[in-house]
Amino acid sequence: MKRIGSRSHLALVLAAVAFVGLSACRAGVDTTSVGGVAEARELSEADVLAAAKTYVPTGRMDEYLMFSSGGHSGQVLVIGIPSMRLLKVIGVFTPEPWQGYGYGAEEHKELMASGEMSGHEITWGDTHHPALSETDGDYDGQFLFINDKANPRIAVIDLRDMETKQIVTDPLMGSNHGGAFVTPNTEYVIEASQYAAPLDGSYASLDEYKDKYRGAVTLFKFDRERGRIDLDQSFSIELPPYWQDLSDAGKGPSAGWMFLNSFNTEMATGGIESGNPPFEAGVSQNDMDYLAIINWEQAADVAAQPGKTVTIQGRRVIPMATAVSEGLLYFVPEPKSPHGIDVTPDGTKMVVSGKLDPHATVYSWEKIQAAIANSQFSGEDEYGVPILDFDAVIEGQLELGLGPLHTQYAPDGMAFTSLFLESAVAKWNYETLELLEKQEVHYNVGHIATAEGDTKSPDGGYLVSLNKWAIDRFHPVGPLHPQNFQLVDISGPEMALLYDSPIGIGEPHYAQIIKADKLNVWTTYPEVGWDPHTMAKAESAPLAGDERIERRGNEVHVFMTAIRSHFTPEHITVNRGDEVVLHITNIELAQDATHGFAIDKHNVNLSLEPGETQTVRFVADRAGVFPFYCTEFCSALHLEMAGYLLVK
Ligand code: K7E
Ligand code: CUA
């Protein structure tokens, strides 16, 4: 892979470190040489090398982009690699004022409303797992999906303008965790429930847990043409009330199948205050939990057949008994309190880590298929789901260390697994089952991400460790510490820590890293009058020369344009009680010529990017004089880009 600077260049730099380090040390600090700076700043050779590997000079661009969950911020972070520079914060489940996301535009109101759950507005999300769209098992750079664990939802982000286009809810679930992940051609975006609850949303006592509580997995049909999830074509599968954890789709020979961890097969219901074992003990009693193996391709056929599904809360659900009788659902034991399940790039193996088991367990797809074909079961669970014989389907186990969680891949059989309890990343070979080395990280690593690490052809080169704790790494900023993303060089025979990148937004869970040249990002909208919600030119968009104010009964429609450095019109006079509808187009197509639009005391702020049109609708419920102005420093006369809303 291409690195910043050639090896010979680095050799020169290091030689300079050694040489100048000697020659300049007595003459005070020499800040004109690498060696002088290294000495003055007490940098080792390894530090200088790490700096040379990560520094991206002004005007140059990063080789990769990382799309990271923004954790509780309900947003998505876009970060360049290897520089670790933050390039964008995409508003997803949470209003974002700079982008005017959720601050007045009708288009965003609709989007936010589509994310309401049980009639309640929810303005945050616990974003967990971003998933890039795939074509033939490789990231295609078109779309990004992300789940909200707290309020089971999935959002669709179009990577042409990196804006959120759709939020869909999953009313069946009480929370989700196994998602978002996509099938190899993004036929479906999938999420699985975590904490079980009644699927119909009704009340049921915890005494009725086994009867009334359920898990589920939902397959949201993705319409790539429209760039939207199609709820009519989506369906769910009912699961036992275990707690599903992380999940993955098969690829290559295992394409058409998906794999879902589940823990709490004990079906513990907690209640420490009543003398019951607390959840942490209750859900960790069994030595084995179950990996669910589901034939999603066949499930889609079954879901399309009349009479094979039931409707719960308006959603199509394949009942558990049907899933079993149709041969869609199998379990296989997995050790102990499983967390990650990661299908190898070639799709032949499934790697599972148990939080409380020091091993990675590697399953063979060939053996799983044979066991299914030969009904090689060791029994069935309480709900009649057949359990494949553990010994018949595993390829092997490898002791990695304490608290293994998630595995990512690189070429040549290389696998990297995060070790939460050890605060380390283990590098191993999933073909030979050899542990190769470990790299310390600071501290409590959750997910890791390698370049193109979830595809059929991972790149290697870089690994980012998403650490939960950051004690002693940074200046204290209060008791809430930053999260620490650490960049690790995995291109050589030994891993090397390159860079600490504190993130003041928490708690990012997972990230995916895509080669930057796979993206086709617009730098302006394609046409003046573009509606990013429909991704088409809007009929109603005012263009230059169309500006006017039209009264329609008590509705006042204002057709406004924005260009450096004025809005047209600048005066809007209405009567108190009128409904004001502003249609505003930024009629510029120059890159970065974004105009904002804010109205005093109305909680309105738009970001009108070049070519973009937006609509704002509000009732002028207060008489008075309300300045409006452009909130982007767009030009020398930006302060003059203003006007008055006069409410009589
Ligand atoms: Cu391991 Cu919620 Cu993906 Cu976090 S999950 S670490
Ligand atoms: Cu337009 Cu400032």
mmCIF file of all heavy atoms in Angstrom, residues 208-250:
data_model
loop_
_atom_site.group_PDB
_atom_site.id
_atom_site.type_symbol
_atom_site.label_atom_id
_atom_site.label_comp_id
_atom_site.label_asym_id
_atom_site.label_seq_id
_atom_site.Cartn_x
_atom_site.Cartn_y
_atom_site.Cartn_z
ATOM 1 N N GLU A 208 -43.505 -13.264 33.348
ATOM 2 C CA GLU A 208 -43.938 -13.884 32.084
ATOM 3 C C GLU A 208 -42.845 -13.781 31.018
ATOM 4 O O GLU A 208 -43.138 -13.867 29.824
ATOM 5 C CB GLU A 208 -45.198 -13.175 31.575
ATOM 6 C CG GLU A 208 -46.354 -13.200 32.548
ATOM 7 C CD GLU A 208 -47.515 -12.345 32.055
ATOM 8 O OE1 GLU A 208 -47.386 -11.103 32.043
ATOM 9 O OE2 GLU A 208 -48.545 -12.928 31.664
ATOM 10 N N TYR A 209 -41.620 -13.594 31.470
ATOM 11 C CA TYR A 209 -40.514 -13.332 30.538
ATOM 12 C C TYR A 209 -40.430 -14.374 29.433
ATOM 13 O O TYR A 209 -40.374 -14.053 28.247
ATOM 14 C CB TYR A 209 -39.190 -13.274 31.321
ATOM 15 C CG TYR A 209 -38.014 -12.840 30.483
ATOM 16 C CD1 TYR A 209 -37.720 -11.489 30.294
ATOM 17 C CD2 TYR A 209 -37.182 -13.778 29.860
ATOM 18 C CE1 TYR A 209 -36.645 -11.078 29.528
ATOM 19 C CE2 TYR A 209 -36.098 -13.374 29.087
ATOM 20 C CZ TYR A 209 -35.836 -12.027 28.919
ATOM 21 O OH TYR A 209 -34.774 -11.635 28.149
ATOM 22 N N LYS A 210 -40.441 -15.646 29.831
ATOM 23 C CA LYS A 210 -40.232 -16.696 28.820
ATOM 24 C C LYS A 210 -41.373 -16.781 27.796
ATOM 25 O O LYS A 210 -41.158 -17.178 26.662
ATOM 26 C CB LYS A 210 -40.062 -18.055 29.504
ATOM 27 C CG LYS A 210 -38.746 -18.160 30.261
ATOM 28 C CD LYS A 210 -38.546 -19.535 30.830
ATOM 29 C CE LYS A 210 -37.205 -19.615 31.532
ATOM 30 N NZ LYS A 210 -36.937 -20.962 32.063
ATOM 31 N N ASP A 211 -42.574 -16.426 28.245
ATOM 32 C CA ASP A 211 -43.735 -16.528 27.351
ATOM 33 C C ASP A 211 -43.946 -15.287 26.495
ATOM 34 O O ASP A 211 -44.322 -15.380 25.332
ATOM 35 C CB ASP A 211 -45.020 -16.726 28.171
ATOM 36 C CG ASP A 211 -45.056 -18.096 28.801
ATOM 37 O OD1 ASP A 211 -44.346 -18.985 28.285
ATOM 38 O OD2 ASP A 211 -45.761 -18.260 29.809
ATOM 39 N N LYS A 212 -43.751 -14.142 27.106
ATOM 40 C CA LYS A 212 -44.200 -12.920 26.432
ATOM 41 C C LYS A 212 -43.066 -12.058 25.883
ATOM 42 O O LYS A 212 -43.302 -11.237 25.004
ATOM 43 C CB LYS A 212 -45.043 -12.086 27.407
ATOM 44 C CG LYS A 212 -46.255 -12.837 27.969
ATOM 45 C CD LYS A 212 -47.546 -12.185 27.529
ATOM 46 C CE LYS A 212 -48.753 -13.043 27.851
ATOM 47 N NZ LYS A 212 -49.529 -12.484 28.981
ATOM 48 N N TYR A 213 -41.882 -12.198 26.431
ATOM 49 C CA TYR A 213 -40.768 -11.379 25.951
ATOM 50 C C TYR A 213 -40.129 -12.073 24.748
ATOM 51 O O TYR A 213 -40.071 -13.304 24.696
ATOM 52 C CB TYR A 213 -39.728 -11.169 27.051
ATOM 53 C CG TYR A 213 -40.163 -10.200 28.138
ATOM 54 C CD1 TYR A 213 -41.332 -10.407 28.866
ATOM 55 C CD2 TYR A 213 -39.390 -9.091 28.454
ATOM 56 C CE1 TYR A 213 -41.726 -9.527 29.857
ATOM 57 C CE2 TYR A 213 -39.767 -8.202 29.456
ATOM 58 C CZ TYR A 213 -40.934 -8.421 30.151
ATOM 59 O OH TYR A 213 -41.319 -7.552 31.138
ATOM 60 N N ARG A 214 -39.652 -11.282 23.816
ATOM 61 C CA ARG A 214 -39.056 -11.863 22.612
ATOM 62 C C ARG A 214 -37.909 -10.998 22.085
ATOM 63 O O ARG A 214 -37.867 -9.796 22.324
ATOM 64 C CB ARG A 214 -40.101 -11.982 21.493
ATOM 65 C CG ARG A 214 -41.121 -13.097 21.703
ATOM 66 C CD ARG A 214 -40.480 -14.469 21.601
ATOM 67 N NE ARG A 214 -41.436 -15.540 21.841
ATOM 68 C CZ ARG A 214 -41.659 -16.115 23.030
ATOM 69 N NH1 ARG A 214 -40.989 -15.727 24.102
ATOM 70 N NH2 ARG A 214 -42.537 -17.090 23.162
ATOM 71 N N GLY A 215 -37.046 -11.658 21.354
ATOM 72 C CA GLY A 215 -36.060 -10.941 20.560
ATOM 73 C C GLY A 215 -36.543 -10.892 19.118
ATOM 74 O O GLY A 215 -37.556 -11.516 18.770
ATOM 75 N N ALA A 216 -35.834 -10.183 18.284
ATOM 76 C CA ALA A 216 -36.201 -10.112 16.865
ATOM 77 C C ALA A 216 -35.003 -9.650 16.057
ATOM 78 O O ALA A 216 -34.075 -9.036 16.595
ATOM 79 C CB ALA A 216 -37.359 -9.138 16.658
ATOM 80 N N VAL A 217 -35.048 -9.997 14.805
ATOM 81 C CA VAL A 217 -34.091 -9.408 13.868
ATOM 82 C C VAL A 217 -34.905 -8.842 12.707
ATOM 83 O O VAL A 217 -35.872 -9.469 12.268
ATOM 84 C CB VAL A 217 -33.026 -10.430 13.389
ATOM 85 C CG1 VAL A 217 -33.662 -11.650 12.733
ATOM 86 C CG2 VAL A 217 -32.020 -9.782 12.439
ATOM 87 N N THR A 218 -34.567 -7.634 12.288
ATOM 88 C CA THR A 218 -35.320 -6.985 11.216
ATOM 89 C C THR A 218 -34.428 -6.800 9.994
ATOM 90 O O THR A 218 -33.284 -6.362 10.112
ATOM 91 C CB THR A 218 -35.881 -5.625 11.686
ATOM 92 O OG1 THR A 218 -36.791 -5.873 12.751
ATOM 93 C CG2 THR A 218 -36.596 -4.905 10.554
ATOM 94 N N LEU A 219 -34.988 -7.186 8.851
ATOM 95 C CA LEU A 219 -34.303 -6.996 7.576
ATOM 96 C C LEU A 219 -34.991 -5.862 6.836
ATOM 97 O O LEU A 219 -36.108 -6.026 6.342
ATOM 98 C CB LEU A 219 -34.339 -8.282 6.750
ATOM 99 C CG LEU A 219 -33.503 -9.422 7.345
ATOM 100 C CD1 LEU A 219 -34.335 -10.288 8.262
ATOM 101 C CD2 LEU A 219 -32.864 -10.241 6.250
ATOM 102 N N PHE A 220 -34.353 -4.711 6.834
ATOM 103 C CA PHE A 220 -34.888 -3.559 6.127
ATOM 104 C C PHE A 220 -34.442 -3.642 4.670
ATOM 105 O O PHE A 220 -33.248 -3.654 4.374
ATOM 106 C CB PHE A 220 -34.363 -2.263 6.736
ATOM 107 C CG PHE A 220 -34.925 -1.950 8.097
ATOM 108 C CD1 PHE A 220 -34.144 -2.081 9.233
ATOM 109 C CD2 PHE A 220 -36.233 -1.518 8.236
ATOM 110 C CE1 PHE A 220 -34.653 -1.777 10.485
ATOM 111 C CE2 PHE A 220 -36.755 -1.213 9.484
ATOM 112 C CZ PHE A 220 -35.961 -1.345 10.608
ATOM 113 N N LYS A 221 -35.428 -3.690 3.779
ATOM 114 C CA LYS A 221 -35.125 -3.779 2.342
ATOM 115 C C LYS A 221 -34.616 -2.432 1.862
ATOM 116 O O LYS A 221 -35.267 -1.405 2.062
ATOM 117 C CB LYS A 221 -36.409 -4.160 1.589
ATOM 118 C CG LYS A 221 -36.236 -4.252 0.097
ATOM 119 C CD LYS A 221 -35.588 -5.552 -0.309
ATOM 120 C CE LYS A 221 -35.283 -5.558 -1.798
ATOM 121 N NZ LYS A 221 -34.076 -6.328 -2.096
ATOM 122 N N PHE A 222 -33.465 -2.417 1.250
ATOM 123 C CA PHE A 222 -32.913 -1.160 0.762
ATOM 124 C C PHE A 222 -33.140 -1.025 -0.729
ATOM 125 O O PHE A 222 -32.793 -1.914 -1.504
ATOM 126 C CB PHE A 222 -31.419 -1.057 1.079
ATOM 127 C CG PHE A 222 -30.858 0.298 0.738
ATOM 128 C CD1 PHE A 222 -31.369 1.439 1.348
ATOM 129 C CD2 PHE A 222 -29.854 0.447 -0.198
ATOM 130 C CE1 PHE A 222 -30.883 2.706 1.031
ATOM 131 C CE2 PHE A 222 -29.359 1.711 -0.517
ATOM 132 C CZ PHE A 222 -29.875 2.838 0.097
ATOM 133 N N ASP A 223 -33.756 0.106 -1.103
ATOM 134 C CA ASP A 223 -34.004 0.417 -2.505
ATOM 135 C C ASP A 223 -32.887 1.371 -2.944
ATOM 136 O O ASP A 223 -32.942 2.573 -2.684
ATOM 137 C CB ASP A 223 -35.391 1.066 -2.625
ATOM 138 C CG ASP A 223 -35.743 1.434 -4.057
ATOM 139 O OD1 ASP A 223 -34.826 1.511 -4.906
ATOM 140 O OD2 ASP A 223 -36.942 1.648 -4.313
ATOM 141 N N ARG A 224 -31.895 0.828 -3.579
ATOM 142 C CA ARG A 224 -30.702 1.623 -3.902
ATOM 143 C C ARG A 224 -31.035 2.748 -4.882
ATOM 144 O O ARG A 224 -30.496 3.846 -4.796
ATOM 145 C CB ARG A 224 -29.628 0.704 -4.496
ATOM 146 C CG ARG A 224 -28.242 1.298 -4.473
ATOM 147 C CD ARG A 224 -27.284 0.437 -5.251
ATOM 148 N NE ARG A 224 -26.810 -0.720 -4.513
ATOM 149 C CZ ARG A 224 -25.650 -0.764 -3.849
ATOM 150 N NH1 ARG A 224 -24.894 0.296 -3.792
ATOM 151 N NH2 ARG A 224 -25.263 -1.859 -3.245
ATOM 152 N N GLU A 225 -31.937 2.445 -5.789
ATOM 153 C CA GLU A 225 -32.345 3.425 -6.792
ATOM 154 C C GLU A 225 -32.875 4.693 -6.107
ATOM 155 O O GLU A 225 -32.482 5.796 -6.422
ATOM 156 C CB GLU A 225 -33.452 2.769 -7.635
ATOM 157 C CG GLU A 225 -33.555 3.155 -9.073
ATOM 158 C CD GLU A 225 -32.234 3.253 -9.818
ATOM 159 O OE1 GLU A 225 -31.314 2.403 -9.668
ATOM 160 O OE2 GLU A 225 -32.147 4.222 -10.557
ATOM 161 N N ARG A 226 -33.776 4.478 -5.147
ATOM 162 C CA ARG A 226 -34.380 5.608 -4.436
ATOM 163 C C ARG A 226 -33.509 6.065 -3.274
ATOM 164 O O ARG A 226 -33.765 7.123 -2.691
ATOM 165 C CB ARG A 226 -35.771 5.222 -3.916
ATOM 166 C CG ARG A 226 -36.846 5.150 -5.002
ATOM 167 C CD ARG A 226 -38.194 4.703 -4.406
ATOM 168 N NE ARG A 226 -38.569 5.513 -3.256
ATOM 169 C CZ ARG A 226 -38.826 5.037 -2.041
ATOM 170 N NH1 ARG A 226 -38.759 3.741 -1.806
ATOM 171 N NH2 ARG A 226 -39.153 5.846 -1.052
ATOM 172 N N GLY A 227 -32.571 5.267 -2.893
ATOM 173 C CA GLY A 227 -31.745 5.619 -1.743
ATOM 174 C C GLY A 227 -32.514 5.585 -0.446
ATOM 175 O O GLY A 227 -32.220 6.338 0.483
ATOM 176 N N ARG A 228 -33.509 4.708 -0.378
ATOM 177 C CA ARG A 228 -34.368 4.655 0.803
ATOM 178 C C ARG A 228 -34.643 3.207 1.198
ATOM 179 O O ARG A 228 -34.714 2.316 0.336
ATOM 180 C CB ARG A 228 -35.737 5.301 0.523
ATOM 181 C CG ARG A 228 -35.718 6.780 0.265
ATOM 182 C CD ARG A 228 -35.428 7.576 1.517
ATOM 183 N NE ARG A 228 -35.690 9.000 1.316
ATOM 184 C CZ ARG A 228 -34.848 9.853 0.730
ATOM 185 N NH1 ARG A 228 -33.699 9.425 0.278
ATOM 186 N NH2 ARG A 228 -35.163 11.132 0.594
ATOM 187 N N ILE A 229 -34.856 3.021 2.500
ATOM 188 C CA ILE A 229 -35.363 1.751 2.990
ATOM 189 C C ILE A 229 -36.845 1.672 2.637
ATOM 190 O O ILE A 229 -37.582 2.656 2.789
ATOM 191 C CB ILE A 229 -35.140 1.643 4.517
ATOM 192 C CG1 ILE A 229 -33.657 1.350 4.792
ATOM 193 C CG2 ILE A 229 -36.049 0.598 5.140
ATOM 194 C CD1 ILE A 229 -33.239 1.510 6.227
ATOM 195 N N ASP A 230 -37.279 0.515 2.149
ATOM 196 C CA ASP A 230 -38.672 0.305 1.763
ATOM 197 C C ASP A 230 -39.328 -0.556 2.841
ATOM 198 O O ASP A 230 -39.131 -1.773 2.888
ATOM 199 C CB ASP A 230 -38.701 -0.392 0.397
ATOM 200 C CG ASP A 230 -40.116 -0.608 -0.104
ATOM 201 O OD1 ASP A 230 -41.072 -0.409 0.690
ATOM 202 O OD2 ASP A 230 -40.269 -0.984 -1.281
ATOM 203 N N LEU A 231 -40.119 0.106 3.698
ATOM 204 C CA LEU A 231 -40.704 -0.632 4.833
ATOM 205 C C LEU A 231 -41.675 -1.711 4.374
ATOM 206 O O LEU A 231 -41.810 -2.745 5.026
ATOM 207 C CB LEU A 231 -41.398 0.327 5.802
ATOM 208 C CG LEU A 231 -40.462 1.135 6.718
ATOM 209 C CD1 LEU A 231 -41.271 2.054 7.617
ATOM 210 C CD2 LEU A 231 -39.566 0.229 7.550
ATOM 211 N N ASP A 232 -42.348 -1.485 3.227
ATOM 212 C CA ASP A 232 -43.306 -2.489 2.749
ATOM 213 C C ASP A 232 -42.622 -3.798 2.376
ATOM 214 O O ASP A 232 -43.235 -4.852 2.424
ATOM 215 C CB ASP A 232 -44.074 -1.963 1.525
ATOM 216 C CG ASP A 232 -45.001 -0.825 1.905
ATOM 217 O OD1 ASP A 232 -45.379 -0.758 3.103
ATOM 218 O OD2 ASP A 232 -45.318 -0.006 1.028
ATOM 219 N N GLN A 233 -41.385 -3.705 1.973
ATOM 220 C CA GLN A 233 -40.657 -4.914 1.568
ATOM 221 C C GLN A 233 -39.782 -5.459 2.711
ATOM 222 O O GLN A 233 -39.030 -6.397 2.505
ATOM 223 C CB GLN A 233 -39.743 -4.591 0.375
ATOM 224 C CG GLN A 233 -40.471 -4.095 -0.862
ATOM 225 C CD GLN A 233 -41.366 -5.167 -1.455
ATOM 226 O OE1 GLN A 233 -40.959 -6.307 -1.582
ATOM 227 N NE2 GLN A 233 -42.599 -4.790 -1.763
ATOM 228 N N SER A 234 -39.864 -4.840 3.861
ATOM 229 C CA SER A 234 -39.027 -5.247 4.990
ATOM 230 C C SER A 234 -39.781 -6.254 5.851
ATOM 231 O O SER A 234 -41.009 -6.336 5.793
ATOM 232 C CB SER A 234 -38.648 -4.024 5.837
ATOM 233 O OG SER A 234 -38.004 -3.056 5.022
ATOM 234 N N PHE A 235 -39.053 -7.020 6.619
ATOM 235 C CA PHE A 235 -39.713 -7.974 7.520
ATOM 236 C C PHE A 235 -38.791 -8.304 8.686
ATOM 237 O O PHE A 235 -37.595 -7.998 8.655
ATOM 238 C CB PHE A 235 -40.105 -9.259 6.766
ATOM 239 C CG PHE A 235 -38.919 -10.046 6.260
ATOM 240 C CD1 PHE A 235 -38.415 -11.124 6.991
ATOM 241 C CD2 PHE A 235 -38.301 -9.720 5.063
ATOM 242 C CE1 PHE A 235 -37.320 -11.857 6.533
ATOM 243 C CE2 PHE A 235 -37.201 -10.437 4.603
ATOM 244 C CZ PHE A 235 -36.718 -11.509 5.330
ATOM 245 N N SER A 236 -39.399 -8.925 9.706
ATOM 246 C CA SER A 236 -38.634 -9.306 10.893
ATOM 247 C C SER A 236 -38.810 -10.788 11.147
ATOM 248 O O SER A 236 -39.724 -11.421 10.621
ATOM 249 C CB SER A 236 -39.118 -8.526 12.121
ATOM 250 O OG SER A 236 -39.056 -7.138 11.870
ATOM 251 N N ILE A 237 -37.925 -11.333 11.945
ATOM 252 C CA ILE A 237 -38.037 -12.729 12.376
ATOM 253 C C ILE A 237 -38.058 -12.736 13.903
ATOM 254 O O ILE A 237 -37.189 -12.115 14.541
ATOM 255 C CB ILE A 237 -36.849 -13.575 11.866
ATOM 256 C CG1 ILE A 237 -36.742 -13.486 10.341
ATOM 257 C CG2 ILE A 237 -36.995 -15.034 12.313
ATOM 258 C CD1 ILE A 237 -35.471 -14.119 9.771
ATOM 259 N N GLU A 238 -39.054 -13.420 14.447
ATOM 260 C CA GLU A 238 -39.173 -13.523 15.902
ATOM 261 C C GLU A 238 -38.079 -14.449 16.440
ATOM 262 O O GLU A 238 -37.795 -15.498 15.845
ATOM 263 C CB GLU A 238 -40.553 -14.088 16.256
ATOM 264 C CG GLU A 238 -40.785 -14.251 17.740
ATOM 265 C CD GLU A 238 -42.036 -15.080 18.060
ATOM 266 O OE1 GLU A 238 -42.515 -15.839 17.182
ATOM 267 O OE2 GLU A 238 -42.512 -14.982 19.196
ATOM 268 N N LEU A 239 -37.472 -14.080 17.551
ATOM 269 C CA LEU A 239 -36.409 -14.880 18.164
ATOM 270 C C LEU A 239 -36.736 -15.099 19.647
ATOM 271 O O LEU A 239 -37.525 -14.354 20.230
ATOM 272 C CB LEU A 239 -35.063 -14.157 18.039
ATOM 273 C CG LEU A 239 -34.521 -13.934 16.615
ATOM 274 C CD1 LEU A 239 -33.290 -13.041 16.653
ATOM 275 C CD2 LEU A 239 -34.203 -15.272 15.943
ATOM 276 N N PRO A 240 -36.106 -16.101 20.257
ATOM 277 C CA PRO A 240 -36.305 -16.285 21.692
ATOM 278 C C PRO A 240 -35.850 -15.038 22.459
ATOM 279 O O PRO A 240 -35.093 -14.222 21.918
ATOM 280 C CB PRO A 240 -35.392 -17.474 22.024
ATOM 281 C CG PRO A 240 -35.156 -18.174 20.735
ATOM 282 C CD PRO A 240 -35.208 -17.112 19.684
ATOM 283 N N PRO A 241 -36.273 -14.940 23.728
ATOM 284 C CA PRO A 241 -35.949 -13.725 24.474
ATOM 285 C C PRO A 241 -34.518 -13.722 25.009
ATOM 286 O O PRO A 241 -34.286 -13.413 26.179
ATOM 287 C CB PRO A 241 -36.979 -13.719 25.604
ATOM 288 C CG PRO A 241 -37.301 -15.146 25.819
ATOM 289 C CD PRO A 241 -37.186 -15.818 24.492
ATOM 290 N N TYR A 242 -33.591 -14.122 24.175
ATOM 291 C CA TYR A 242 -32.184 -13.948 24.524
ATOM 292 C C TYR A 242 -31.807 -12.530 24.100
ATOM 293 O O TYR A 242 -32.555 -11.864 23.387
ATOM 294 C CB TYR A 242 -31.303 -14.972 23.801
ATOM 295 C CG TYR A 242 -31.811 -16.399 23.871
ATOM 296 C CD1 TYR A 242 -31.687 -17.269 22.781
ATOM 297 C CD2 TYR A 242 -32.431 -16.871 25.025
ATOM 298 C CE1 TYR A 242 -32.162 -18.572 22.837
ATOM 299 C CE2 TYR A 242 -32.906 -18.187 25.086
ATOM 300 C CZ TYR A 242 -32.780 -19.026 23.988
ATOM 301 O OH TYR A 242 -33.245 -20.302 24.041
ATOM 302 N N TRP A 243 -30.619 -12.115 24.480
ATOM 303 C CA TRP A 243 -30.190 -10.765 24.116
ATOM 304 C C TRP A 243 -29.211 -10.868 22.958
ATOM 305 O O TRP A 243 -28.106 -11.389 23.123
ATOM 306 C CB TRP A 243 -29.529 -10.074 25.305
ATOM 307 C CG TRP A 243 -30.466 -9.803 26.450
ATOM 308 C CD1 TRP A 243 -31.810 -10.038 26.495
ATOM 309 C CD2 TRP A 243 -30.114 -9.254 27.724
ATOM 310 N NE1 TRP A 243 -32.318 -9.654 27.710
ATOM 311 C CE2 TRP A 243 -31.297 -9.173 28.483
ATOM 312 C CE3 TRP A 243 -28.910 -8.807 28.288
ATOM 313 C CZ2 TRP A 243 -31.302 -8.671 29.787
ATOM 314 C CZ3 TRP A 243 -28.934 -8.309 29.573
ATOM 315 C CH2 TRP A 243 -30.124 -8.243 30.317
ATOM 316 N N GLN A 244 -29.645 -10.379 21.811
ATOM 317 C CA GLN A 244 -28.767 -10.461 20.637
ATOM 318 C C GLN A 244 -27.622 -9.461 20.764
ATOM 319 O O GLN A 244 -27.832 -8.325 21.191
ATOM 320 C CB GLN A 244 -29.541 -10.163 19.356
ATOM 321 C CG GLN A 244 -30.221 -11.369 18.762
ATOM 322 C CD GLN A 244 -31.238 -11.968 19.704
ATOM 323 O OE1 GLN A 244 -31.184 -13.141 20.021
ATOM 324 N NE2 GLN A 244 -32.141 -11.156 20.213
ATOM 325 N N ASP A 245 -26.457 -9.904 20.395
ATOM 326 C CA ASP A 245 -25.338 -8.981 20.389
ATOM 327 C C ASP A 245 -24.913 -8.731 18.946
ATOM 328 O O ASP A 245 -25.717 -8.838 18.026
ATOM 329 C CB ASP A 245 -24.201 -9.516 21.254
ATOM 330 C CG ASP A 245 -23.424 -8.382 21.870
ATOM 331 O OD1 ASP A 245 -24.031 -7.602 22.610
ATOM 332 O OD2 ASP A 245 -22.224 -8.268 21.603
ATOM 333 N N LEU A 246 -23.647 -8.457 18.761
ATOM 334 C CA LEU A 246 -23.249 -8.024 17.439
ATOM 335 C C LEU A 246 -23.448 -9.129 16.397
ATOM 336 O O LEU A 246 -23.421 -10.316 16.715
ATOM 337 C CB LEU A 246 -21.800 -7.535 17.436
ATOM 338 C CG LEU A 246 -21.558 -6.543 16.297
ATOM 339 C CD1 LEU A 246 -22.542 -5.404 16.339
ATOM 340 C CD2 LEU A 246 -20.162 -6.024 16.343
ATOM 341 N N SER A 247 -23.623 -8.731 15.176
ATOM 342 C CA SER A 247 -24.039 -9.626 14.100
ATOM 343 C C SER A 247 -23.233 -9.321 12.849
ATOM 344 O O SER A 247 -22.615 -8.273 12.736
ATOM 345 C CB SER A 247 -25.530 -9.405 13.818
ATOM 346 O OG SER A 247 -26.261 -9.405 15.026
ATOM 347 N N ASP A 248 -23.288 -10.231 11.911
ATOM 348 C CA ASP A 248 -22.570 -10.005 10.648
ATOM 349 C C ASP A 248 -23.262 -10.818 9.561
ATOM 350 O O ASP A 248 -23.932 -11.813 9.835
ATOM 351 C CB ASP A 248 -21.097 -10.431 10.798
ATOM 352 C CG ASP A 248 -20.181 -9.781 9.753
ATOM 353 O OD1 ASP A 248 -20.668 -8.968 8.943
ATOM 354 O OD2 ASP A 248 -18.982 -10.097 9.758
ATOM 355 N N ALA A 249 -23.071 -10.377 8.319
ATOM 356 C CA ALA A 249 -23.635 -11.099 7.184
ATOM 357 C C ALA A 249 -22.569 -12.018 6.597
ATOM 358 O O ALA A 249 -21.385 -11.678 6.601
ATOM 359 C CB ALA A 249 -24.115 -10.111 6.122
ATOM 360 N N GLY A 250 -23.004 -13.151 6.086
ATOM 361 C CA GLY A 250 -22.086 -14.031 5.382
ATOM 362 C C GLY A 250 -21.673 -13.417 4.056
ATOM 363 O O GLY A 250 -22.324 -12.508 3.542
#
